[in-house]
Amino acid sequence: MTVSLFEPFRLGDFTLANRIVMAPLTRRRATHGTNAANALMAEHYRQRASAGLIIAEASQISQQGQGYAYTPGIYSPEQVAGWREVTEAVHAAGGHIVLQLWHVGRVSHVSLQPGGGAPVAPSAIATTKQVAIETGAADCSAPRALELGEIPGLIADYRKAARNAKEAGFDGVEVHCANGYLIDEFLRDGSNKREDAYGGAPQNRARFGLEVVDAVLQEWDASRVGVRISPVSPVYDMSDSDPQSVFGYFVERLAEKKLGFLHVIEGATQGPRDVAPFDYLALRKSFPGAYIANNAYTLELAQETLASGRADLIAFGRPFISNPDLVERLRRRAPLTEVDFETVYGAGARGYTDYPTLTA
């Protein structure tokens, strides 16, 4: 049977209009001072509501979870109210939207942390990369290793954020376990050198992420919860000696929880798909929920992947930045507008809500 990118898909208890997912895209447009979503962001997401599913940009679960200036949070009343404006706009336009729950771990700077403290990580191992703070680009600050006694509080922050996302009107949540951020740092042995119950064997390194998911499931039905992973992406100096083992185990355990979807970055984040060998099909076979494939998908590759059964849904990231009507453009095989990379981050309406549609 031929599967089309443009046909409906049943995800849990709601039906998506098509199999196109708008991937989460950090854009740094949150309100200065409160890090709350706002009317500009509501318009941005409303314009893109023709996607079968929108995964809203990563949102920090606490101030400690923030790694860049002006990214939105989901831990304060102002932030919940701001996101409610976004979800209402998307729903009014007929779309579905879930929120990505985020803690950056070591990918941060002291100026963004409570009391100017060090960022936290599974181990005190720094990344050599930079983040954007209010004054410009800055080297990531050296992290400190989390104390064992701090971990329950972190897990509680995820649960509260999940509850806040429901209050804000989202259709579900995605737990961010990818791209070199906190849960990914626990999963991979290049960044996790712990010698307690959260380090060492793959089963131990997966423990924190699984406990976070369990906490989120206290607030949401499993069909409304997804997880994002990036098994071989080297982003933010990430590495693992045997990614197939740890991510294979992690996904097998997630499968037992009957989650709604698994969102997989195949290859390097914003980079080549073939950066390292990995059997993604093994993840697909072991996970009974929807499989969302992500990274540099073209229309042709997306259609071929769906037809082969290797994925149920295809996530597009950068094309959605500059093509609010991406679904219609793909359907018509129309040219895509190129991204203005100078306006991707924190530039107000310019390069955010002013990209034209085909009809315009």
Side-chain angles (χ1 to χ4, degrees), residues 231-252:
V232 297
S233 180
V235 64
Y236 289 115
D237 302 319
M238 294 300 291
S239 65
D240 190 84
S241 60
D242 187 2
Q244 199 78 49
S245 292
V246 66
F247 285 95
Y249 172 79
F250 188 51
V251 171
E252 287 173 3

Side-chain angles (χ1 to χ4, degrees), residues 10-357:
R10 187 76 176 174
L11 182 65
D13 57 0
F14 51 83
T15 301
L16 308 182
N18 51 65
R19 293 172 181 254
I20 296 171
V21 175
M22 178 178 165
L25 296 158
T26 294
R27 305 297 302 278
R28 299 181 53 227
R29 257 71 172 194
T31 301
H32 298 189
T34 63
N35 289 326
N38 49 49
L40 179 67
M41 292 170 63
E43 173 61 13
H44 170 79
Y45 284 109
R46 183 201 63 78
Q47 291 175 349
R48 290 153 179 81
S50 59
L53 178 68
I54 293 173
I55 304 176
E57 65 204 87
S59 299
Q60 56 263 15
I61 61 169
S62 64
Q63 184 185 347
Q64 185 195 69
Q66 184 174 5
Y68 314 83
Y70 314 131
T71 56
I74 188 61
Y75 57 90
S76 75
E78 295 87 353
Q79 292 163 359
V80 171
W83 275 123
R84 189 178 299 113
E85 187 174 359
V86 172
T87 61
E88 288 175 352
V90 170
H91 291 151
H96 292 96
I97 183 168
V98 303
L99 183 66
Q100 189 181 67
L101 305 180
W102 191 29
H103 191 302
V104 299
R106 69 184 186 180
V107 185
S108 188
H109 186 269
V110 292
S111 67
L112 299 169
Q113 292 292 302
V120 298
S123 301
I125 301 172
T127 173
T128 62
K129 306 304 181 182
Q130 293 188 320
V131 290
I133 61 174
E134 292 193 17
T135 56
D139 292 340
C140 288
S141 300
R144 65 174 179 83
L146 280 161
E147 298 289 339
L148 192 61
E150 294 178 275
I151 291 177
L154 267 173
I155 293 170
D157 286 342
Y158 275 98
R159 180 173 178 177
K160 181 184 177 184
R163 185 185 315 129
N164 287 345
K166 181 175 285 187
E167 184 181 342
F170 284 96
D171 297 304
V173 293
E174 176 180 274
V175 181
H176 198 347
C177 304
N179 293 355
Y181 300 121
L182 184 63
I183 297 177
D184 198 24
E185 292 164 15
F186 269 92
L187 283 164
R188 300 212 242 176
D189 60 16
S191 50
N192 183 348
K193 305 297 184 183
R194 299 179 73 93
E195 297 180 352
D196 57 19
Y198 292 91
Q203 294 83 348
N204 287 349
R205 285 182 277 128
R207 188 185 308 275
F208 177 67
L210 294 170
E211 290 179 347
V212 166
V213 171
D214 285 341
V216 170
L217 292 176
Q218 297 296 310
E219 303 295 334
W220 285 91
D221 183 84
S223 68
R224 300 288 188 115
V225 176
V227 164
R228 191 189 210 199
I229 58 174
S230 55
V232 297
S233 180
V235 64
Y236 289 115
D237 302 319
M238 294 300 291
S239 65
D240 190 84
S241 60
D242 187 2
Q244 199 78 49
S245 292
V246 66
F247 285 95
Y249 172 79
F250 188 51
V251 171
E252 287 173 3
R253 291 296 309 279
L254 293 174
E256 297 169 1
K257 303 178 190 300
K258 310 296 184 189
L259 301 187
F261 63 90
L262 178 68
H263 181 187
V264 184
I265 298 172
E266 299 171 344
T269 305
Q270 299 182 3
R273 293 175 50 79
D274 59 354
V275 67
F278 191 86
D279 185 1
Y280 298 103
L281 189 57
L283 302 184
R284 163 71 162 154
K285 290 178 177 177
S286 67
F287 187 79
Y291 183 101
I292 303 176
N294 182 318
N295 201 19
Y297 271 85
T298 61
L299 173 61
E300 292 72 23
L301 180 58
Q303 292 282 39
E304 191 275 327
T305 298
L306 292 176
S308 68
R310 297 198 305 272
D312 298 297
L313 300 157
I314 305 295
F316 294 85
R318 288 183 177 181
F320 263 115
I321 292 177
S322 50
N323 297 277
D325 57 345
L326 180 66
V327 175
E328 187 61 22
R329 287 175 185 259
L330 292 175
R331 191 192 310 273
R332 295 192 197 181
R333 296 179 178 268
L336 300 184
T337 303
E338 294 296 320
V339 175
D340 175 8
F341 287 101
E342 292 186 0
T343 60
V344 167
Y345 300 113
R350 181 167 167 256
Y352 191 59
T353 55
D354 62 351
Y355 280 108
T357 61

